Every structure is written in structure tokens, then in C-alpha cells.
Short mmCIF file of all heavy atoms in Angstrom, two decimals:
data_model
loop_
_atom_site.label_atom_id
_atom_site.label_comp_id
_atom_site.label_asym_id
_atom_site.label_seq_id
_atom_site.Cartn_x
_atom_site.Cartn_y
_atom_site.Cartn_z
N SER U 1 16.11 5.49 144.79
CA SER U 1 15.71 6.46 143.78
C SER U 1 16.06 7.85 144.27
O SER U 1 15.89 8.18 145.44
CB SER U 1 14.22 6.36 143.49
OG SER U 1 13.49 6.70 144.64
N THR U 2 16.57 8.65 143.39
CA THR U 2 16.91 10.03 143.74
C THR U 2 16.08 10.95 142.86
O THR U 2 15.82 10.66 141.70
CB THR U 2 18.41 10.31 143.51
OG1 THR U 2 18.71 10.06 142.14
CG2 THR U 2 19.27 9.46 144.39
N SER U 3 15.67 12.03 143.44
CA SER U 3 14.90 13.02 142.71
C SER U 3 15.86 14.06 142.16
O SER U 3 16.66 14.63 142.89
CB SER U 3 13.88 13.67 143.64
OG SER U 3 13.22 14.69 142.97
N ASN U 4 15.77 14.30 140.91
CA ASN U 4 16.65 15.27 140.26
C ASN U 4 15.90 16.57 140.02
O ASN U 4 15.64 16.94 138.88
CB ASN U 4 17.21 14.71 138.96
CG ASN U 4 18.17 13.58 139.18
OD1 ASN U 4 18.86 13.57 140.19
ND2 ASN U 4 18.21 12.64 138.27
N VAL U 5 15.54 17.25 141.09
CA VAL U 5 14.89 18.54 140.97
C VAL U 5 15.99 19.59 140.82
O VAL U 5 16.90 19.67 141.64
CB VAL U 5 14.03 18.85 142.22
CG1 VAL U 5 13.41 20.23 142.10
CG2 VAL U 5 12.97 17.80 142.40
N SER U 6 15.89 20.37 139.78
CA SER U 6 16.94 21.35 139.53
C SER U 6 16.92 22.46 140.57
O SER U 6 15.88 22.80 141.13
CB SER U 6 16.79 21.94 138.13
OG SER U 6 15.68 22.80 138.08
N LYS U 7 18.07 23.02 140.80
CA LYS U 7 18.17 24.12 141.76
C LYS U 7 17.43 25.35 141.25
O LYS U 7 16.90 26.13 142.04
CB LYS U 7 19.64 24.44 142.03
CG LYS U 7 20.33 23.34 142.78
CD LYS U 7 21.77 23.64 143.02
CE LYS U 7 22.41 22.44 143.73
NZ LYS U 7 23.83 22.59 143.91
N LEU U 8 17.37 25.51 139.96
CA LEU U 8 16.63 26.63 139.37
C LEU U 8 15.14 26.53 139.69
O LEU U 8 14.50 27.53 140.03
CB LEU U 8 16.85 26.67 137.85
CG LEU U 8 16.12 27.78 137.11
CD1 LEU U 8 16.62 29.14 137.59
CD2 LEU U 8 16.31 27.63 135.62
N ALA U 9 14.59 25.33 139.64
CA ALA U 9 13.18 25.13 139.97
C ALA U 9 12.93 25.44 141.44
O ALA U 9 11.91 26.06 141.79
CB ALA U 9 12.76 23.71 139.65
N ILE U 10 13.83 25.05 142.32
CA ILE U 10 13.67 25.32 143.74
C ILE U 10 13.73 26.83 144.00
O ILE U 10 12.93 27.37 144.76
CB ILE U 10 14.73 24.57 144.55
CG1 ILE U 10 14.48 23.06 144.45
CG2 ILE U 10 14.75 25.02 146.00
CD1 ILE U 10 15.56 22.21 145.04
N VAL U 11 14.65 27.52 143.35
CA VAL U 11 14.77 28.97 143.52
C VAL U 11 13.52 29.67 142.98
O VAL U 11 12.98 30.59 143.61
CB VAL U 11 16.05 29.50 142.84
CG1 VAL U 11 16.06 31.01 142.76
CG2 VAL U 11 17.27 28.99 143.56
N ALA U 12 13.03 29.22 141.83
CA ALA U 12 11.83 29.83 141.24
C ALA U 12 10.63 29.65 142.15
O ALA U 12 9.86 30.58 142.38
CB ALA U 12 11.56 29.23 139.87
N LEU U 13 10.45 28.46 142.72
CA LEU U 13 9.34 28.23 143.63
C LEU U 13 9.48 29.03 144.92
O LEU U 13 8.48 29.51 145.47
CB LEU U 13 9.21 26.74 143.94
CG LEU U 13 8.68 25.88 142.79
CD1 LEU U 13 8.74 24.41 143.16
CD2 LEU U 13 7.26 26.29 142.43
N ALA U 14 10.69 29.20 145.40
CA ALA U 14 10.91 30.01 146.60
C ALA U 14 10.55 31.47 146.35
O ALA U 14 9.96 32.13 147.21
CB ALA U 14 12.36 29.89 147.06
N ILE U 15 10.88 31.98 145.16
CA ILE U 15 10.53 33.36 144.81
C ILE U 15 9.02 33.52 144.69
O ILE U 15 8.46 34.50 145.19
CB ILE U 15 11.25 33.78 143.52
CG1 ILE U 15 12.74 33.92 143.79
CG2 ILE U 15 10.67 35.08 142.96
CD1 ILE U 15 13.59 34.10 142.55
N ILE U 16 8.36 32.55 144.06
CA ILE U 16 6.90 32.60 143.95
C ILE U 16 6.25 32.54 145.32
O ILE U 16 5.30 33.27 145.61
CB ILE U 16 6.40 31.47 143.04
CG1 ILE U 16 6.84 31.73 141.60
CG2 ILE U 16 4.88 31.31 143.12
CD1 ILE U 16 6.62 30.57 140.67
N PHE U 17 6.75 31.69 146.20
CA PHE U 17 6.23 31.59 147.56
C PHE U 17 6.41 32.91 148.31
O PHE U 17 5.48 33.38 148.98
CB PHE U 17 6.92 30.46 148.32
CG PHE U 17 6.52 30.37 149.76
CD1 PHE U 17 5.30 29.83 150.12
CD2 PHE U 17 7.36 30.87 150.75
CE1 PHE U 17 4.92 29.77 151.45
CE2 PHE U 17 6.99 30.80 152.08
CZ PHE U 17 5.76 30.25 152.43
N ALA U 18 7.58 33.51 148.22
CA ALA U 18 7.84 34.76 148.92
C ALA U 18 6.94 35.88 148.39
O ALA U 18 6.42 36.69 149.17
CB ALA U 18 9.31 35.15 148.78
N ALA U 19 6.75 35.94 147.08
CA ALA U 19 5.87 36.96 146.51
C ALA U 19 4.43 36.74 146.96
O ALA U 19 3.73 37.70 147.31
CB ALA U 19 5.96 36.93 144.98
N GLY U 20 3.97 35.50 146.98
CA GLY U 20 2.62 35.21 147.44
C GLY U 20 2.44 35.54 148.90
O GLY U 20 1.40 36.07 149.32
N LEU U 21 3.44 35.25 149.71
CA LEU U 21 3.38 35.58 151.13
C LEU U 21 3.30 37.09 151.33
O LEU U 21 2.52 37.58 152.16
CB LEU U 21 4.61 35.02 151.85
CG LEU U 21 4.66 35.25 153.35
CD1 LEU U 21 3.54 34.47 154.04
CD2 LEU U 21 6.00 34.82 153.88
N PHE U 22 4.05 37.84 150.55
CA PHE U 22 3.99 39.29 150.63
C PHE U 22 2.61 39.81 150.24
O PHE U 22 2.04 40.65 150.93
CB PHE U 22 5.06 39.94 149.74
CG PHE U 22 4.91 41.44 149.66
CD1 PHE U 22 5.32 42.23 150.72
CD2 PHE U 22 4.34 42.03 148.55
CE1 PHE U 22 5.18 43.60 150.67
CE2 PHE U 22 4.19 43.40 148.50
CZ PHE U 22 4.61 44.19 149.55
N VAL U 23 2.08 39.30 149.14
CA VAL U 23 0.79 39.78 148.65
C VAL U 23 -0.31 39.48 149.66
O VAL U 23 -1.13 40.34 149.99
CB VAL U 23 0.45 39.16 147.28
CG1 VAL U 23 -0.99 39.40 146.90
CG2 VAL U 23 1.37 39.75 146.21
N VAL U 24 -0.35 38.27 150.19
CA VAL U 24 -1.41 37.90 151.12
C VAL U 24 -1.20 38.53 152.49
O VAL U 24 -2.13 39.03 153.11
CB VAL U 24 -1.50 36.36 151.26
CG1 VAL U 24 -2.44 35.97 152.38
CG2 VAL U 24 -1.95 35.74 149.96
N GLY U 25 0.02 38.56 152.97
CA GLY U 25 0.25 38.98 154.34
C GLY U 25 0.58 40.43 154.57
O GLY U 25 0.26 40.97 155.62
N PHE U 26 1.20 41.09 153.61
CA PHE U 26 1.75 42.40 153.92
C PHE U 26 1.38 43.51 152.95
O PHE U 26 1.63 44.68 153.26
CB PHE U 26 3.28 42.31 154.01
CG PHE U 26 3.75 41.33 155.03
CD1 PHE U 26 4.25 40.10 154.65
CD2 PHE U 26 3.67 41.62 156.37
CE1 PHE U 26 4.68 39.19 155.60
CE2 PHE U 26 4.09 40.72 157.33
CZ PHE U 26 4.59 39.50 156.95
N ASP U 27 0.81 43.21 151.81
CA ASP U 27 0.54 44.26 150.82
C ASP U 27 -0.54 45.21 151.31
O ASP U 27 -1.62 44.79 151.70
CB ASP U 27 0.12 43.64 149.49
CG ASP U 27 -0.10 44.72 148.45
OD1 ASP U 27 0.88 45.42 148.15
OD2 ASP U 27 -1.24 44.86 147.97
N GLN U 28 -0.24 46.48 151.30
CA GLN U 28 -1.20 47.53 151.66
C GLN U 28 -1.29 48.55 150.52
O GLN U 28 -1.41 49.73 150.76
CB GLN U 28 -0.75 48.22 152.94
CG GLN U 28 -0.72 47.35 154.15
CD GLN U 28 -2.13 46.98 154.63
OE1 GLN U 28 -3.09 47.70 154.40
NE2 GLN U 28 -2.24 45.85 155.29
N GLY U 29 -1.25 48.05 149.29
CA GLY U 29 -1.31 48.93 148.13
C GLY U 29 -0.01 49.04 147.38
O GLY U 29 0.08 49.73 146.37
N HIS U 30 1.02 48.35 147.84
CA HIS U 30 2.34 48.46 147.22
C HIS U 30 2.38 47.92 145.80
O HIS U 30 3.03 48.51 144.93
CB HIS U 30 3.38 47.72 148.06
CG HIS U 30 3.50 48.26 149.44
ND1 HIS U 30 2.79 47.73 150.49
CD2 HIS U 30 4.22 49.28 149.95
CE1 HIS U 30 3.08 48.40 151.58
NE2 HIS U 30 3.94 49.36 151.29
N ILE U 31 1.69 46.81 145.54
CA ILE U 31 1.74 46.19 144.22
C ILE U 31 1.12 47.10 143.17
O ILE U 31 1.70 47.37 142.12
CB ILE U 31 1.03 44.82 144.23
CG1 ILE U 31 1.70 43.87 145.20
CG2 ILE U 31 0.97 44.22 142.83
CD1 ILE U 31 3.10 43.46 144.84
N PHE U 32 -0.08 47.62 143.44
CA PHE U 32 -0.77 48.46 142.46
C PHE U 32 -0.25 49.89 142.45
O PHE U 32 -0.61 50.67 141.56
CB PHE U 32 -2.28 48.45 142.70
CG PHE U 32 -2.96 47.21 142.20
CD1 PHE U 32 -4.07 46.71 142.84
CD2 PHE U 32 -2.50 46.54 141.09
CE1 PHE U 32 -4.71 45.57 142.38
CE2 PHE U 32 -3.11 45.40 140.62
CZ PHE U 32 -4.22 44.92 141.27
N SER U 33 0.57 50.28 143.41
CA SER U 33 1.09 51.65 143.41
C SER U 33 2.01 51.89 142.23
O SER U 33 2.20 53.04 141.84
CB SER U 33 1.82 51.95 144.71
OG SER U 33 3.02 51.21 144.80
N ILE U 34 2.53 50.82 141.65
CA ILE U 34 3.37 50.96 140.46
C ILE U 34 2.55 51.54 139.31
O ILE U 34 3.03 52.37 138.55
CB ILE U 34 3.96 49.59 140.07
CG1 ILE U 34 4.86 49.08 141.18
CG2 ILE U 34 4.71 49.67 138.74
CD1 ILE U 34 5.25 47.62 141.03
N VAL U 35 1.28 51.14 139.23
CA VAL U 35 0.40 51.58 138.14
C VAL U 35 -0.46 52.77 138.56
O VAL U 35 -0.55 53.76 137.84
CB VAL U 35 -0.50 50.42 137.68
CG1 VAL U 35 -1.46 50.87 136.60
CG2 VAL U 35 0.34 49.25 137.21
N TYR U 36 -1.09 52.69 139.74
CA TYR U 36 -2.06 53.70 140.15
C TYR U 36 -1.48 54.82 141.01
O TYR U 36 -2.18 55.77 141.33
CB TYR U 36 -3.20 53.03 140.93
CG TYR U 36 -4.05 52.12 140.09
CD1 TYR U 36 -4.11 50.77 140.36
CD2 TYR U 36 -4.78 52.61 139.02
CE1 TYR U 36 -4.88 49.92 139.58
CE2 TYR U 36 -5.55 51.77 138.23
CZ TYR U 36 -5.60 50.43 138.53
OH TYR U 36 -6.35 49.60 137.75
N GLY U 37 -0.26 54.70 141.44
CA GLY U 37 0.35 55.74 142.24
C GLY U 37 -0.18 55.75 143.66
O GLY U 37 -0.51 54.71 144.23
N GLU U 38 -0.29 56.92 144.25
CA GLU U 38 -0.71 57.07 145.63
C GLU U 38 -2.14 56.60 145.87
O GLU U 38 -2.51 56.24 146.98
CB GLU U 38 -0.56 58.52 146.09
CG GLU U 38 0.88 58.97 146.22
CD GLU U 38 1.62 58.22 147.31
OE1 GLU U 38 1.03 57.98 148.38
OE2 GLU U 38 2.79 57.89 147.08
#
């Protein structure tokens, strides 16, 4: 049996993982600075 997971799904999950890693591990106000500024 072969799994036919599309490459688009793998890329989308990798982007979601990277964004989550950034938010949990490295965000120091960067995400909300788009809306709230300094």
C-alpha cells in the first residue's frame, strides 16, 4: 500500500509547523506588532 499524500499538504503542514514554532519559541511581540505597533 502506498500513501498518496500530496506535496501541497506536506508544504502546508511544514509552514504551519514553522509558524507555530516561531510563535511558541521566539515571538517577543512580533505577531501583534502588525496591529498594535511598538
Side-chain angles (χ1 to χ4, degrees):
S1 64
T2 59
S3 175
N4 291 328
V5 177
S6 71
K7 291 179 183 175
L8 179 62
I10 293 172
V11 169
L13 288 174
I15 290 170
I16 292 169
F17 175 77
L21 182 66
F22 172 77
V23 168
V24 171
F26 301 105
D27 183 62
Q28 296 289 334
H30 300 93
I31 299 294
F32 282 148
S33 69
I34 297 167
V35 177
Y36 293 117
E38 291 295 320

